[in-house]
Amino acid sequence: MPQNDLSSDNSALGVVETTSRPRKVPRVVVLGGGSVGLYVARRLRKKLGKREAAVVVVDPRPYMTYAPFLPEAGAGSIDARDVVAPHRLALKGVDVLQGKVVHIAHGDKKVTISPEEGPDYEVSYDHLVVGLGSVSRTLPIPGLAENAIGFKNVEEAIAVRNHVLNRLDVASSTWDVELRKRMLTFTFIGGGFAGIEALAEIEDMARYATRNYPTIEPSDLRFVMIEGAGRILPEVSEPMGLWALEEMKKRGIEFHLSTFLSSCVDGHVVTSTGVEFDTDTLVWTAGVKANPVIKEDSDLPVDRMGRVTVKATLQVATEDGEVVPDAWAAGDCAAVPDLLNPGSFCPPNAQHAIREANQLADNLVATLKGEQPVEYKHKSVGVVASLGLYKGVAELFGFVKLRGPLAWLAHRGYHVMAMPTGNRKLRILVGWIGQFLMGREIVSLGSLHDPRDEFRKASVPPKPAGEKVEQKAQSSAAVAEKG
């Protein structure tokens, strides 16, 4: 039976009731537990007591991932657990429902949630905050779905790291020249911030790792970047992007600009410019799109890119500017007008997402108190990008341009301060100190991705139906004595 109401009395436990009844306090349902969802919920809980509002966060994962640190997590500079903020620790006093949002019916003020186990259920609300973020934007390229991996969440980042190190392990004991060449070719698609940072960090880590492989030289590794535009890092000025390109080329990284991936069936890469080669590693970082449930399974107004249309106050609004009551949105999944750059929208990055979230929460509180919301307006403090250990590029406050170690320090300093919870800030700092003193940790734990593989291989095939299975209890000590 669908469940359609959360009990105010049992809100701390997140209990879902099957019967509707009048709520004592208004309920705010926050869809998504990423940067927007987590910061909105925390600020609402800080400004509103439990007797003033019930706050519920819905997300399929039990934690928020701080995306700017994914490349460093992939390179082993930060432990995977330290780039995530567990919801149940970071969201004290907030109900957390783990499940995927599959339908939004704002007209009825209900959302449908699909949990990992059990049937779908409905949750009603008084106010809705949409912070569902984005997913990888892929194309119908032959072989892409079967061979590529994204770099959008911490699971993917760690999988890429383990895979790259595993290829080094296997290639070090492989004497087939062509097979070895394929194993040591690592291909990245997409030259924006996400792609360049991922490529640079993984390349830096892999070349560092070769010192432990007597049969592999750093020059044996081939790193390839395929980018459809004529430049990389469009988020920074062209001179800074060109400098980053030249620096990465000096490290032996191969770039194919103004080039598109045409096919990658069975790991055989074919580009639009006719370049062909084989690779065992294909990482897709060529853009993102708003969570598709917004466009496909909701009655909220969206733009042509599938983002929720909002006013500068972060209130959901129609194309004509008419406010949709009790609905709010921010982050990657919302088309937030950039008031400082008329005619454009705020870029989908952590800097804007966190600030939008705080302004959204303040505006929601203001409306609950009968006050007017304030328009979101933020002048970017700049952009910072890591290009590997002690390497980076940064443009700050519109006039400060940093390259190399200083830019790398600016990147680490800014993002560790933006990381939610003091616990995670401290863990990251301790990890960096440990890496500085003891070097990188470069072991591959690829079996984590299929921990039952070894057990399946060791399992005895089942007996035919009807045949009795004989079992004898015997201690391990007795077996040892016989041996």
Side-chain angles (χ1 to χ4, degrees), residues 206-283:
R207 294 203 198 277
Y208 174 91
T210 58
R211 64 184 64 188
N212 294 325
Y213 296 89
T215 60
I216 299 178
E217 296 294 327
S219 58
D220 293 335
L221 309 185
R222 181 186 183 189
F223 280 85
V224 183
M225 165 58 72
I226 298 174
E227 165 56 40
R231 57 166 296 190
I232 64 170
L233 295 176
E235 298 87 347
V236 302
S237 65
E238 192 165 350
M240 293 294 277
L242 183 60
W243 178 85
L245 175 65
E246 293 305 317
E247 287 299 306
M248 294 177 74
K249 282 183 176 180
K250 291 177 184 177
R251 290 156 57 175
I253 300 175
E254 182 180 330
F255 285 85
H256 296 275
L257 304 182
S258 301
T259 303
F260 298 94
L261 178 66
S262 299
S263 174
C264 55
V265 176
D266 296 327
H268 182 69
V269 170
V270 180
T271 73
S272 59
T273 54
V275 175
E276 296 188 34
F277 59 89
D278 292 324
T279 181
D280 270 358
T281 307
L282 192 66
V283 183

Side-chain angles (χ1 to χ4, degrees), residues 369-401:
K369 296 181 178 180
E371 301 171 2
Q372 291 299 311
V374 176
E375 292 183 332
Y376 171 74
K377 187 184 299 183
H378 169 64
K379 185 176 182 180
S380 174
V381 298
V383 290
V384 289
S386 171
L387 301 178
L389 198 60
Y390 309 126
K391 298 175 278 288
V393 60
E395 290 184 326
L396 306 174
F397 311 111
F399 62 90
V400 178
K401 300 182 187 297

Side-chain angles (χ1 to χ4, degrees), residues 230 278 288 299 431:
D278 292 324
V288 296
D299 55 0

Side-chain angles (χ1 to χ4, degrees), residues 2 5 34 60 93 144 148 166 191 194 244 263 323 339 359 368-369 382 386 405:
D5 198 25
L144 183 65
N166 173 264
S263 174
V323 172
L339 298 184
Q359 186 63 65
L368 288 175
K369 296 181 178 180
S386 171

Side-chain angles (χ1 to χ4, degrees), residues 435-469:
Q435 181 192 66
F436 178 77
L437 295 175
M438 296 178 286
R440 291 179 184 264
E441 182 59 66
I442 52 172
V443 64
S444 169
L445 296 176
S447 60
L448 286 174
H449 306 294
D450 187 8
R452 294 188 64 251
D453 180 61
E454 196 72 23
F455 184 78
R456 284 196 299 267
K457 291 176 181 177
S459 298
V460 177
K463 294 283 187 180
E467 187 173 332
K468 185 178 180 180
V469 179

Side-chain angles (χ1 to χ4, degrees), residues 322-381:
E322 183 180 350
V323 172
V324 176
D326 306 322
W328 309 76
D332 294 6
C333 68
V336 181
D338 188 345
L339 298 184
L340 298 180
N341 297 284
S344 61
F345 298 98
C346 294
N349 57 34
Q351 180 182 158
H352 277 284
I354 293 171
R355 287 173 171 81
E356 288 170 10
N358 288 331
Q359 186 63 65
L360 188 158
D362 289 347
N363 284 348
L364 202 162
V365 171
T367 58
L368 288 175
K369 296 181 178 180
E371 301 171 2
Q372 291 299 311
V374 176
E375 292 183 332
Y376 171 74
K377 187 184 299 183
H378 169 64
K379 185 176 182 180
S380 174
V381 298

Side-chain angles (χ1 to χ4, degrees), residues 31-256:
L31 304 183
S35 294
V36 170
L38 184 138
Y39 277 91
V40 165
R42 280 162 60 110
R43 199 168 183 92
L44 287 176
R45 188 76 295 158
K46 180 179 179 180
K47 294 201 163 195
L48 298 172
K50 291 187 177 182
R51 294 182 179 276
E52 296 176 280
V55 182
V56 182
V57 172
V58 183
D59 196 275
R61 291 184 173 87
Y63 51 79
M64 166 236 169
T65 302
Y66 189 67
F69 273 149
L70 285 181
E72 291 205 47
S77 298
I78 303 176
D79 188 276
R81 291 170 296 184
D82 296 339
V83 300
V84 301
H87 288 152
R88 298 187 188 279
L89 293 179
L91 296 173
K92 297 295 186 181
V94 173
D95 293 337
V96 178
L97 295 178
Q98 189 174 336
K100 182 179 179 181
V101 177
V102 294
H103 183 66
I104 303 170
H106 187 64
D108 299 326
K109 290 196 172 181
K110 291 180 180 180
V111 293
T112 303
I113 301 170
S114 178
E116 188 172 332
E117 299 284 349
D120 295 357
Y121 60 89
E122 291 182 339
V123 172
S124 61
Y125 59 83
D126 299 290
H127 300 271
L128 180 71
V129 176
V130 182
L132 289 169
S134 58
V135 299
S136 295
R137 176 177 58 83
T138 59
L139 299 171
I141 298 171
L144 183 65
E146 294 80 9
N147 296 283
I149 183 172
F151 209 85
K152 190 74 175 60
N153 55 55
V154 68
E155 294 89 350
E156 291 174 331
I158 303 309
V160 170
R161 165 186 164 79
N162 284 332
H163 174 75
V164 169
L165 292 174
N166 173 264
R167 293 298 84 191
L168 294 178
D169 287 334
V170 177
S172 67
S173 301
T174 300
W175 312 117
D176 184 308
V177 175
E178 290 303 314
L179 182 58
R180 176 185 167 97
K181 183 178 178 181
R182 176 191 178 108
M183 290 178 180
L184 298 180
T185 297
F186 308 99
T187 308
F188 289 71
I189 314 297
F193 253 44
I196 292 300
E197 287 192 313
L199 166 63
E201 290 283 355
I202 295 295
E203 182 267 347
D204 202 35
M205 181 256 320
R207 294 203 198 277
Y208 174 91
T210 58
R211 64 184 64 188
N212 294 325
Y213 296 89
T215 60
I216 299 178
E217 296 294 327
S219 58
D220 293 335
L221 309 185
R222 181 186 183 189
F223 280 85
V224 183
M225 165 58 72
I226 298 174
E227 165 56 40
R231 57 166 296 190
I232 64 170
L233 295 176
E235 298 87 347
V236 302
S237 65
E238 192 165 350
M240 293 294 277
L242 183 60
W243 178 85
L245 175 65
E246 293 305 317
E247 287 299 306
M248 294 177 74
K249 282 183 176 180
K250 291 177 184 177
R251 290 156 57 175
I253 300 175
E254 182 180 330
F255 285 85
H256 296 275

